[in-house]
Amino acid sequence: MGKLIRLELFSMEHCRRVVPANANGSLDFKSYKGHHTLLFGDSYFTSIIGPNGSGKSNSMDAISFVLGIKSSHLRSSHLRDLVYRGRVLRTSTINGDGSATKATNGHTNGDVPSDEEDDDDTQPSQTERQDPKSAWVMAVYEDDMGDEQLWKRTITNQGASEYRINNRVVSAQQYNEGLEVENILIKARNFLVFQGDVEAIASQSPKDLTRLVEQISGSLEYKSEYERLKDAQEQTAEQQNFTLNRRRGINAEVKQYQEQKREADNYEKKADERDQAVVTHILWKLFHFQRVMEESGAEIKKHQEELKEFRRGVEKYEKGLDDAKKDQARVGRDVGKVERNIKRKAKEVEEKENGLIPIDEKMGISNEKLKKYSKRIAEIAKERDGQSSTIAQLNKGLKLVGKASAKWEAEWQKRAKTEGRQLDEADLREYNRLKEEVNKRTSANQTKADNLTRQKKTDEETVNSLESKVKSTEWHVAKLEGEMNEINERKASIEDQVKQASKETEGKKKEFNSMTSARLRAAQNQTELDEKLQEVLKKLLEADDGRRQSEKELRIKETIATLKRIFPGVRGRISELCKPKLKKYGDAVSTVLGRHFDAVVVDNEKTAKECIQYLRDRRAGQATFIPLDSIQVKPISSNLKGMHRGMRMAIDTIEYESSVERAMSYACGNAVVCDDLGVAKYICYEKGVEAKAVTLDGTVIHKGGLMTGGRGPGQQNARRWEDTEVENLRKLKDNLLAEIASLPKGHRRGTEEETLQGDLTGLEQRLTYAREELKGLERNLSSKAKETDFAQRQLEEVKPKYEERLRELRNIEENLKEFVDAIGEVEDEVFTDFCRRLRYDNIRTYEAQQGSLQQEGAQKKLEYKTQKSKLENQLSFENQRLQTTQERIRNLEAQSERDQTLISELEVEKETLKGDLDTLNVELEQMKQQLEEEKVKHDKKAEKVAEQRREVQKRSKNVDGTLKLVADLEAEIQRNVSSRYAILRRCKLEDIDLPLTEDSRSLDQLPVDELLQNDPDEMDLDDDPNSSSVNPQVARDYGIDVFFEDLEDDLKENEDEKLDEELQDKIDALNSELDKMAPNMRAIERLEGVENKLKTTEKDFEDARKQAKKAKDDFQAVKEQRFELFNKAFSHISEQISQVYKDLTRSVNLPMGGQAYLDMEDSDEPYLEGIKYHAMPPMKRFRDMEHLSGGEKTMAALALLFAIHSYQPSPFFVLDEVDAALDNANVAKISNYIREHAGPGMQFIVISLKTGLFQGSEALVGIYRDQAANSSKALTLDLRKYQ
């Protein structure tokens, strides 16, 4: 393998011409200005050294740049940043790594340009126009044959790269291919180790290490193709599975439809057999319906002729009965009218009486107010008299003070004249002369004394004023405190009154509430009893509405009772032996029972025959008997139970004794009770259940599908469930009337309650007044407290001022005394002879004798003035209080006058109400008398109606018997007509092929929505005996004539119900078989479509299978290729790493070195998971990489780098300061390793600052700074000469 001989760097200024590559010129690459050559020669271990900031690492960038590394890996964002810029060097600070940072103070600290700055957007200044705009770097490489190759990369003026090989311009791809020929892999970068790469490799994750191996091995190029083919394989496999599952599903459908086709053929044969059985059954029913209708019609015509004769005799008495009813109704309306008038009048009386109560309450309240006003006025008047007395005493005292002041003034003038001593002229002149001499000698002290005297007078006035204000304020505070004590005492008294009144009020309220509650309970009880009574009367009235039916029921009951008495085996009627479990089932159960509602249950057939014979002999009417021993009961279908939550069996809705269970089962059959019509339709139409469905309101859907509804006789039977309770209702009515009569007449307010309410109102009013007064006292107390607080604050403000002024006055007096004493000494000296001659102790005694009278007079005047001012102030305050008291009295008198006027008005209103109340009471008594008279008339009319009714009933027995027979026959015809219509309707709806005669209309013309009035399963009912005529039922055949010739003769002759059951059982058996079969009738159509779909699916599956196989093969090929490349590189690196790490960590003391190995997390596809790198330094236990020291990590990382480099090694290996984190021992180990492995095929170029590393190299390339040239420069030294 070859080696790198030298590195040339060159650049052109933008204004210069381009010179040839082998010419001398200036190079401007990063910090290198001009043309420079880094010479490596034939050395296999070359170290690049130099001080920090000299540009060592820029040489690493130059090597990387010329070998095709992107600018983003060269500490620059753009290629233009690699060009030398002197302006940057002149205005930047050099960093430790040789980069430059722009200086902020404008001074130049270095000449290295900044890799971060980009001046493309700025206009060059005058001094910057000579900076170069392009540069190139050329590497001279000597191959194995000894031939030199020139690899050159240029930065053009446009900031792009231009590549040349041996001065021939090539593309970047060709440039890379040329390097790869020499095993220089740019993508893997296995020949360069930048600053920080070692630390990054030491701290990288297993995933990152996997990616590094992929880059070295070249398997990374297959990653995108691998992922694309993997996705394609998964998609095709998924599509294949989808089509496979689809084919399986369609195969299953084909088999299913083939089986369903066979089932459908069998089903059609069985259906034809069932249809023939249905037609036979229908023909049998229709034939016998037709025969019964013809026979019954002839009997009805016969009875109608008899009925006409009977009714002529009844019409006369029925007319009289109608007239009597009209008279009774008219009198009843009059009675009701009078009762309503009485109620209205009683309500008016009650309203008037209630109107008196608030008037009495208001009068009582007003009288209480008057009493309180009078009492309060008297109390305030006493207070006013006391205030007036106080004012008179103050006026009297003020007059006495005036008189005493005048008397003293006269006495003082007289005394002044008698006590004063007069000097003669000579003595007076001498006194004046001596006084002037004293003034001359003491003028200064006299001036100060005069000033102090004036100040003393001023301060004395101020002190006296403050003293007066303090005493006045103290007196005012004491007075306010006394008033507050009085108010507190009054407040305590009022609070006691409030508590007492509250206690009395609570007691009165409890008593009043108790009385009111008792009255309301009585009224409520009476209301409840009245409501119950009205409800009972309403039920009794409903029971009386069908009196004729009730009388008939009474006769039937008497007959049944007679039969029970004569024949022990008679149990009673169905309606008496059962009862609905819930009231809501009443209408439904009566409709279900139908004609069996009045059937009589007996123990055996013999008892039934004996009862029938007894009824014939006594002509006691007809009855249906159900013998328990011979009745045939069909079992209840278990399928009906639980079919729908809104449906239940009819027999489950009634209560009965177990001894008559067979009779109840016979009467109810398979009938079901439904909550509403929707549930019934669902059961009969959707589920196809052949059972009578009855809703809670009585609507019926019959077995044949016919629906009947509305209010019919079945609902009237429901009311008969309560016949046994009529007697209980009458007893309940009597009890309710007795309870109402025993209630206390407390529905109106009594005198005691009204008196109690008046007392309660008075107490509440008194309590209100007391509380108002209490609130007034609290407000007054609050006002007094605020006033007291204000006075105390004034006192606190004034008193310190007074004390301060008093101290100042004392100081002034002391100062004045000193000056006066000094003046006195001078006076004593000057006036010695004068005083001795006049026999005075000193001159001051003389002057004091003359001035004491004046001073005494002034003092006395001030006392009289102060006393007078105090009396005047107190008089003014008392006058204000008196005015306030008089105003309160006037307000109370005005309120008292208003209440007196209100009492007069209320008394007038009360008298008016009493007069109206007396008038209403008189009118009410008259109405009550009128009501009694109307009730007597009503009773007479009711008696007449009863008499007429009895006459009609006596003469209507024959009519009833005939009507009963006709009704039975008509009902029989109607039942058969309904049954015939239901069968024909069923044939039309179910498309049953019924044989018809040639003249018959088609079944398509049969109406399907026509409802018949009577239920064929309902009980026989008697017609109203009062009706005037009988309207025979017309049997409608709808023009449809059935052809009965196909019906066998034995079926025509036999009408036994057993035959009906046999025919129906045959149909049910066939239907059961058909229901179990449940074939898919469209299986033949769908079978053909599914078979066609199967062919298409087979083709899609085959296509999907081929695509899946192709995708799998393609993916497997790429996977194997990627795995082979990766595994080849990993195996080599894994084998080399142990030995490399041992060589790096071996020492004299530890000749075995450390251990290191690589571990794949996924051996099948290792490139998808991580590769763990484990290194164990010598004499240390195993620890994770992150727990190793910095030096140990670096050694492990270098071992990995050397091992990686050994796979497809490049001819040279460039290391940039990989020893930065190592100590000297480890640096020596690295140096030894490089020296041992450096040689042909392995050239090491190391950038280092550690002596231990570069001292063992074969050659040194020194980088230094030329400050004058503002550039980095290089020197080469061959160390082999010195080794």
Side-chain angles (χ1 to χ4, degrees):
M1 300 178 73
K3 60 182 178 180
L4 190 63
I5 297 176
R6 67 179 181 272
L7 192 71
E8 295 186 11
L9 300 93
F10 180 80
S11 70
M12 294 76 68
E13 298 179 359
H14 68 282
C15 59
R16 296 177 181 175
R17 63 182 180 88
V18 178
V19 297
N22 55 359
N24 291 328
S26 63
L27 172 78
D28 290 314
F29 182 85
K30 299 197 83 172
S31 62
Y32 295 88
K33 179 181 180 181
H35 183 273
H36 295 270
T37 300
L38 302 183
L39 182 63
F40 305 127
D42 58 352
S43 171
Y44 289 101
F45 181 11
T46 303
S47 296
I48 300 175
I49 62 175
N52 287 331
S54 61
K56 299 188 303 298
S57 295
N58 290 339
S59 62
M60 178 72 171
D61 291 341
I63 296 173
S64 303
F65 171 73
V66 74
L67 295 178
I69 303 301
K70 294 181 180 180
S71 62
S72 59
H73 297 296
L74 305 179
R75 302 177 296 165
S76 299
S77 58
H78 302 286
L79 287 174
R80 289 189 298 269
D81 296 339
L82 300 176
V83 180
Y84 170 82
R85 283 173 286 182
R87 173 185 58 80
V88 175
L89 295 173
R90 290 191 296 269
T91 60
S92 302
T93 301
I94 297 175
N95 297 326
D97 60 352
S99 62
T101 305
K102 187 173 180 63
T104 58
N105 55 5
H107 297 288
T108 302
N109 296 324
D111 299 325
V112 182
S114 173
D115 292 340
E116 302 294 328
E117 185 173 343
D118 189 354
D119 296 324
D120 292 347
D121 298 333
T122 61
Q123 296 296 331
S125 64
Q126 185 67 26
T127 60
E128 296 170 352
R129 291 181 180 176
Q130 300 305 317
D131 289 343
K133 296 299 181 181
S134 63
W136 55 258
V137 178
M138 182 174 67
V140 180
Y141 176 78
E142 181 180 291
D143 58 16
D144 293 338
M145 303 299 295
D147 298 330
E148 290 189 353
Q149 297 183 19
L150 305 179
W151 296 332
K152 180 179 178 183
R153 183 179 179 185
T154 304
I155 304 173
T156 65
N157 294 332
Q158 291 76 24
S161 291
E162 180 186 87
Y163 300 94
R164 291 174 181 267
I165 298 178
N166 296 328
N167 292 326
R168 181 173 58 86
V169 178
V170 296
S171 64
Q173 180 66 27
Q174 294 172 339
Y175 194 81
N176 291 338
E177 290 174 355
L179 293 175
E180 288 178 359
V181 171
E182 301 298 330
N183 216 23
I184 301 173
L185 306 178
I186 296 175
K187 294 182 180 179
R189 277 180 21 186
N190 60 336
F191 56 90
L192 296 174
V193 180
F194 290 96
Q195 287 185 14
D197 283 357
V198 175
E199 290 80 359
I201 290 173
S203 61
Q204 66 184 353
S205 65
K207 284 280 188 180
D208 296 333
L209 184 55
T210 301
R211 182 174 179 84
L212 179 61
V213 174
E214 278 207 284
Q215 288 177 343
I216 299 299
S217 65
S219 64
L220 187 62
E221 298 177 1
Y222 293 92
K223 181 178 181 182
S224 59
E225 185 68 13
Y226 171 88
E227 293 177 349
R228 183 185 66 80
L229 291 176
K230 185 177 182 180
D231 293 339
Q233 179 194 10
E234 291 175 352
Q235 291 177 1
T236 55
E238 184 178 355
Q239 182 65 24
Q240 181 185 4
N241 291 333
F242 171 76
T243 54
L244 176 62
N245 293 331
R246 186 180 178 189
R247 187 184 68 171
R248 290 175 180 173
I250 294 175
N251 279 327
E253 287 186 21
V254 170
K255 293 179 181 179
Q256 179 183 0
Y257 286 130
Q258 289 175 349
E259 181 66 24
Q260 289 178 356
K261 180 177 179 299
R262 290 191 294 272
E263 292 179 356
D265 294 339
N266 294 333
Y267 182 84
E268 289 179 354
K269 293 179 182 179
K270 190 67 68 176
D272 292 339
E273 185 181 352
R274 188 272 318 274
D275 293 342
Q276 185 60 40
V278 169
V279 170
T280 301
H281 188 206
I282 290 174
L283 287 175
W284 178 79
K285 283 187 175 182
L286 291 175
F287 178 80
H288 290 289
F289 288 157
Q290 186 71 27
R291 181 181 58 76
V292 172
M293 287 189 292
E294 292 174 355
E295 293 176 355
S296 299
E299 290 292 329
I300 288 174
K301 290 180 180 178
K302 177 182 176 182
H303 290 303
Q304 283 178 345
E305 295 297 329
E306 297 175 356
L307 189 60
K308 291 178 181 178
E309 296 297 330
F310 292 145
R311 284 185 172 172
R312 292 191 188 98
V314 178
E315 289 176 355
K316 177 181 177 182
Y317 292 99
E318 287 181 344
K319 184 177 180 182
L321 178 60
D322 292 339
D323 295 339
K325 285 182 178 180
K326 292 178 181 178
D327 292 341
Q328 182 186 12
R330 178 178 53 77
V331 175
R333 286 192 296 272
D334 294 340
V335 170
K337 184 177 180 182
V338 173
E339 288 178 346
R340 287 192 294 274
N341 291 335
I342 289 175
K343 288 182 179 179
R344 284 196 296 270
K345 193 62 68 177
K347 187 175 181 181
E348 292 179 6
V349 170
E350 186 175 359
E351 290 176 353
K352 294 292 183 182
E353 290 176 347
N354 291 337
L356 288 173
I357 295 172
I359 294 175
D360 292 336
E361 292 175 356
K362 291 179 182 178
M363 291 178 65
I365 293 171
S366 299
N367 287 324
E368 289 292 333
K369 287 183 179 180
L370 287 176
K371 292 178 182 179
K372 291 182 179 181
Y373 291 154
S374 300
K375 182 178 179 182
R376 189 60 180 156
I377 289 171
E379 292 174 356
I380 296 174
K382 290 180 181 179
E383 187 177 348
R384 179 195 60 190
D385 294 340
Q387 293 171 356
S388 300
S389 176
T390 302
I391 291 171
Q393 291 177 0
L394 290 173
N395 285 325
K396 184 177 179 181
L398 190 60
K399 292 178 181 179
L400 290 175
V401 170
K403 290 179 180 181
S405 177
K407 182 178 180 181
W408 174 81
E409 185 73 26
E411 291 177 353
W412 181 76
Q413 292 291 341
K414 184 178 179 181
R415 181 183 173 192
K417 292 179 181 180
T418 57
E419 292 184 2
R421 180 183 297 178
Q422 299 295 328
L423 297 177
D424 55 13
E425 290 296 331
D427 293 337
L428 187 59
R429 283 194 301 272
E430 185 179 1
Y431 171 77
N432 291 331
R433 181 182 62 78
L434 295 173
K435 196 68 175 175
E436 288 178 0
E437 184 180 353
V438 170
N439 290 337
K440 289 178 181 180
R441 293 175 62 182
T442 62
S443 59
N445 291 334
Q446 190 67 42
T447 302
K448 293 180 180 179
D450 291 341
N451 291 335
L452 289 174
T453 301
R454 286 192 298 272
Q455 186 175 358
K456 177 184 175 185
K457 290 181 179 180
T458 303
D459 289 349
E460 283 178 346
E461 292 177 359
T462 302
V463 169
N464 291 333
S465 176
L466 290 173
E467 183 181 8
S468 175
K469 192 171 184 179
V470 167
K471 291 181 178 179
S472 174
T473 304
E474 289 176 347
W475 173 83
H476 188 51
V477 168
K479 180 182 178 184
L480 289 173
E481 289 176 350
E483 291 177 354
M484 287 176 66
N485 292 332
E486 293 178 359
I487 292 173
N488 284 325
E489 292 176 359
R490 176 64 179 166
K491 180 182 175 184
S493 175
I494 296 298
E495 286 176 348
D496 292 339
Q497 294 179 11
V498 169
K499 290 180 182 177
Q500 184 64 25
S502 298
K503 186 175 180 181
E504 293 179 3
T505 302
E506 290 297 327
K508 294 289 185 181
K509 278 185 178 179
K510 290 181 181 178
E511 187 177 355
F512 177 76
N513 291 335
S514 177
M515 295 179 66
T516 304
S517 300
R519 177 174 58 81
L520 293 176
R521 281 196 300 272
Q524 185 177 2
N525 290 336
Q526 184 168 359
T527 302
E528 292 176 356
L529 292 174
D530 288 340
E531 291 177 355
K532 292 180 181 178
L533 180 61
Q534 292 298 326
E535 185 177 356
V536 171
L537 292 175
K538 181 180 179 181
K539 291 181 179 179
L540 290 174
L541 185 61
E542 290 176 356
D544 291 338
D545 286 344
R547 186 169 182 79
R548 282 174 297 170
Q549 184 68 23
S550 298
E551 291 179 357
K552 178 183 176 182
E553 284 294 314
L554 184 60
R555 291 197 302 270
I556 293 175
K557 287 182 179 179
E558 291 175 354
T559 302
I560 299 300
T562 302
L563 291 175
K564 286 182 179 180
R565 190 170 58 254
I566 298 173
F567 304 105
V570 178
R571 298 294 185 93
R573 291 184 297 174
I574 290 288
S575 59
E576 296 171 348
L577 296 174
C578 69
K579 184 178 181 181
K581 292 182 178 180
L582 298 175
K583 190 174 181 180
K584 66 177 182 178
Y585 296 142
D587 291 342
V589 171
S590 62
T591 303
V592 168
L593 295 177
R595 61 187 175 183
H596 299 304
F597 192 85
D598 286 328
V600 181
V601 179
V602 295
D603 289 342
N604 49 52
E605 187 175 355
K606 179 181 178 182
T607 304
K609 291 179 179 179
E610 291 175 353
C611 291
I612 292 173
Q613 187 62 40
Y614 176 82
L615 293 177
R616 287 177 180 173
D617 296 340
R618 299 294 188 276
R619 298 177 181 263
Q622 297 179 350
T624 301
F625 293 89
I626 301 177
L628 294 174
D629 63 337
S630 60
I631 192 70
Q632 294 183 358
V633 180
K634 295 181 181 179
I636 298 175
S637 177
S638 59
N639 296 330
L640 296 177
K641 294 185 178 180
M643 184 175 291
H644 194 280
R645 63 180 181 181
M647 178 272 288
R648 75 279 307 153
M649 300 300 296
I651 194 165
D652 294 334
T653 62
I654 57 176
E655 296 176 350
Y656 53 85
E657 296 181 359
S658 58
S659 59
V660 294
E661 181 177 1
R662 286 175 54 81
M664 298 304 167
S665 299
Y666 173 78
C668 295
N670 278 336
V672 296
V673 176
C674 304
D675 289 346
D676 51 41
L677 188 59
V679 176
K681 288 181 178 179
Y682 171 79
I683 297 297
C684 295
Y685 296 154
E686 296 185 19
K687 288 293 185 179
V689 176
E690 291 191 2
K692 182 163 65 174
V694 183
T695 63
L696 296 179
D697 60 357
T699 303
V700 184
I701 299 179
H702 299 277
K703 293 180 180 180
L706 181 66
M707 185 187 302
T708 59
R711 304 294 297 181
Q715 281 71 27
Q716 295 178 4
N717 290 335
R719 192 180 298 171
R720 291 167 56 191
W721 294 112
E722 302 176 358
D723 288 347
T724 56
E725 300 178 3
V726 172
E727 188 64 27
N728 293 332
L729 290 175
R730 291 195 179 97
K731 292 180 181 179
L732 181 59
K733 181 191 72 172
D734 296 337
N735 293 335
L736 291 174
L737 290 173
E739 290 181 10
I740 292 173
S742 63
L743 286 175
K745 305 300 181 181
H747 60 283
R748 294 184 184 177
R749 297 176 53 169
T751 305
E752 184 178 356
E753 185 177 352
E754 294 174 359
T755 303
L756 187 60
Q757 186 175 9
D759 295 342
L760 182 61
T761 304
L763 284 172
E764 289 178 347
Q765 191 67 32
R766 190 175 72 184
L767 184 61
T768 302
Y769 289 151
R771 286 174 176 167
E772 290 178 356
E773 185 176 358
L774 186 61
K775 290 180 181 178
L777 289 174
E778 289 177 350
R779 288 193 296 270
N780 192 8
L781 185 62
S782 176
S783 177
K784 294 292 184 183
K786 291 179 181 178
E787 190 175 351
T788 303
D789 186 52
F790 177 73
Q792 287 177 347
R793 288 200 302 272
Q794 277 189 330
L795 184 61
E796 292 174 357
E797 292 176 359
V798 173
K799 198 168 184 179
K801 292 180 181 179
Y802 165 71
E803 293 174 352
E804 183 179 359
R805 288 288 186 175
L806 187 59
R807 286 194 297 272
E808 291 177 355
L809 181 60
R810 296 289 182 265
N811 293 332
I812 291 172
E813 288 177 348
E814 291 176 359
N815 293 333
L816 180 60
K817 185 175 182 299
E818 292 177 0
F819 290 112
V820 169
D821 292 341
I823 295 171
E825 291 176 358
V826 175
E827 287 178 344
D828 290 342
E829 182 182 352
V830 173
F831 283 99
T832 302
D833 297 335
F834 180 80
C835 291
R836 189 181 300 117
R837 182 169 54 83
L838 294 177
R839 296 188 297 275
Y840 286 108
D841 294 337
N842 50 48
I843 191 64
R844 291 182 296 279
T845 303
Y846 167 75
E847 291 175 348
Q849 186 178 7
Q850 294 296 322
S852 60
L853 292 176
Q854 298 296 331
Q855 184 178 1
E856 183 180 354
Q859 182 66 27
K860 202 66 174 177
K861 286 179 181 180
L862 179 61
E863 291 177 359
Y864 281 117
K865 184 178 180 181
T866 301
Q867 189 175 5
K868 185 177 180 181
S869 175
K870 183 177 178 181
L871 290 172
E872 288 175 350
N873 290 335
Q874 191 173 359
L875 181 62
S876 175
F877 174 73
E878 292 297 335
N879 284 328
Q880 290 179 357
R881 286 184 65 192
L882 180 61
Q883 291 177 2
T884 303
T885 303
Q886 290 174 346
E887 183 64 26
R888 290 168 63 192
I889 292 173
R890 285 194 294 271
N891 291 335
L892 289 172
E893 289 174 348
Q895 291 179 359
S896 177
E897 185 177 353
R898 285 197 299 271
D899 287 345
Q900 188 64 42
T901 304
L902 178 61
I903 290 172
S904 301
E905 294 175 354
L906 291 174
E907 287 178 350
V908 173
E909 185 178 356
K910 182 177 180 181
E911 292 299 328
T912 303
L913 285 175
K914 285 184 176 180
D916 295 342
L917 187 60
D918 294 339
T919 303
L920 291 174
N921 285 327
V922 172
E923 293 176 355
L924 184 61
E925 291 298 328
Q926 293 175 356
M927 289 181 180
K928 288 181 179 179
Q929 293 177 2
Q930 183 181 0
L931 178 61
E932 293 297 329
E933 294 174 358
E934 293 296 333
K935 284 185 177 180
V936 172
K937 292 180 182 179
H938 185 268
D939 292 340
K940 292 180 179 179
K941 295 296 182 182
E943 182 63 29
K944 185 175 179 180
V945 169
E947 184 179 355
Q948 291 293 328
R949 183 179 285 112
R950 286 192 293 271
E951 292 294 332
V952 171
Q953 290 174 354
K954 288 178 183 178
R955 289 164 177 77
S956 62
K957 289 182 179 180
N958 294 330
V959 176
D960 291 341
T962 305
L963 286 174
K964 180 67 170 65
L965 294 175
V966 172
D968 292 342
L969 292 172
E970 288 180 346
E972 186 68 24
I973 292 173
Q974 190 62 35
R975 282 195 298 272
N976 285 275
V977 170
S978 299
S979 300
R980 183 177 185 273
Y981 169 77
I983 292 175
L984 294 175
R985 180 176 179 274
R986 176 189 170 194
C987 293
K988 177 180 179 180
L989 294 176
E990 298 179 6
D991 291 332
I992 297 174
D993 188 11
L994 187 68
L996 303 176
T997 61
E998 296 179 356
D999 299 334
S1000 174
R1001 299 175 67 183
S1002 174
L1003 284 176
D1004 295 336
Q1005 300 177 6
L1006 179 72
V1008 296
D1009 55 351
E1010 183 174 343
L1011 298 179
L1012 302 179
Q1013 295 297 323
N1014 294 330
D1015 185 351
D1017 292 332
E1018 289 180 352
M1019 62 171 287
D1020 298 334
L1021 298 174
D1022 293 336
D1023 289 341
D1024 188 354
N1026 294 328
S1027 59
S1028 59
S1029 61
V1030 176
N1031 295 322
Q1033 298 289 338
V1034 178
R1036 296 186 60 187
D1037 58 3
Y1038 303 101
I1040 297 174
D1041 188 10
V1042 181
F1043 185 71
F1044 294 109
E1045 295 300 329
D1046 295 339
L1047 188 64
E1048 298 177 1
D1049 293 338
D1050 55 346
L1051 294 177
K1052 292 180 181 179
E1053 295 174 359
N1054 189 357
E1055 59 175 341
D1056 191 2
E1057 292 184 359
K1058 291 183 179 180
L1059 180 59
D1060 183 20
E1061 293 177 1
E1062 291 176 359
L1063 294 174
Q1064 185 62 44
D1065 290 342
K1066 182 179 180 181
I1067 295 172
D1068 293 342
L1070 293 171
N1071 282 328
S1072 177
E1073 293 180 9
L1074 291 172
D1075 291 341
K1076 293 178 181 178
M1077 295 173 70
N1080 184 2
M1081 303 308 295
R1082 300 184 63 185
I1084 299 174
E1085 301 175 7
R1086 294 183 178 178
L1087 179 60
E1088 183 178 356
V1090 171
E1091 288 176 346
N1092 294 331
K1093 189 188 297 184
L1094 179 60
K1095 294 178 182 179
T1096 304
T1097 306
E1098 290 282 358
K1099 184 177 180 301
D1100 294 341
F1101 172 72
E1102 188 62 26
D1103 295 340
R1105 187 184 64 78
K1106 292 179 180 179
Q1107 292 176 2
K1109 184 176 183 305
K1110 183 179 182 302
K1112 182 178 180 181
D1113 293 342
D1114 294 343
F1115 172 71
Q1116 195 66 29
V1118 173
K1119 176 182 176 183
E1120 291 176 357
Q1121 183 66 25
R1122 186 180 183 186
F1123 177 79
E1124 183 179 354
L1125 292 174
F1126 185 91
N1127 194 51
K1128 182 179 178 182
F1130 177 80
S1131 299
H1132 176 83
I1133 296 170
S1134 182
E1135 291 173 358
Q1136 294 294 321
I1137 187 67
S1138 178
Q1139 187 60 41
V1140 172
Y1141 188 70
K1142 286 181 180 179
D1143 293 343
L1144 285 176
T1145 57
R1146 184 183 296 118
S1147 64
V1148 177
N1149 296 328
L1150 299 170
M1152 298 301 294
Q1155 295 181 5
Y1157 64 92
L1158 297 176
D1159 184 21
M1160 289 190 300
E1161 295 180 353
D1162 186 355
S1163 59
D1164 295 332
E1165 291 185 273
Y1167 39 78
L1168 297 181
E1169 299 296 334
I1171 295 176
K1172 292 184 178 179
Y1173 176 33
H1174 304 282
M1176 187 168 64
M1179 302 301 294
K1180 290 190 178 180
R1181 61 182 177 84
F1182 172 78
R1183 285 183 293 181
D1184 291 335
M1185 185 66 72
E1186 59 267 17
H1187 295 153
L1188 299 179
S1189 65
E1192 291 170 346
K1193 287 182 180 179
T1194 302
M1195 296 297 286
L1198 287 173
L1200 180 61
L1201 287 173
F1202 291 143
I1204 290 173
H1205 183 266
S1206 66
Y1207 179 76
Q1208 295 182 352
S1210 62
F1212 50 84
F1213 200 15
V1214 184
L1215 306 175
D1216 186 4
E1217 296 188 19
V1218 297
D1219 55 351
L1222 297 177
D1223 55 12
N1224 293 331
N1226 286 324
V1227 170
K1229 292 177 182 179
I1230 295 295
S1231 177
N1232 293 332
Y1233 179 85
I1234 293 175
R1235 191 166 52 251
E1236 290 175 2
H1237 291 80
M1242 178 58 70
Q1243 179 186 14
F1244 286 93
I1245 299 174
V1246 180
I1247 300 173
S1248 175
L1249 290 175
K1250 296 292 183 71
T1251 306
L1253 181 61
F1254 64 74
Q1255 69 183 2
S1257 60
E1258 296 177 354
L1260 293 178
V1261 177
I1263 307 298
Y1264 66 96
R1265 292 291 300 170
D1266 187 351
Q1267 298 295 340
N1270 196 18
S1271 172
S1272 297
K1273 292 188 178 182
L1275 295 174
T1276 301
L1277 178 63
D1278 190 353
L1279 297 179
R1280 288 173 292 184
K1281 301 175 183 180
Y1282 308 104
Q1283 292 178 350

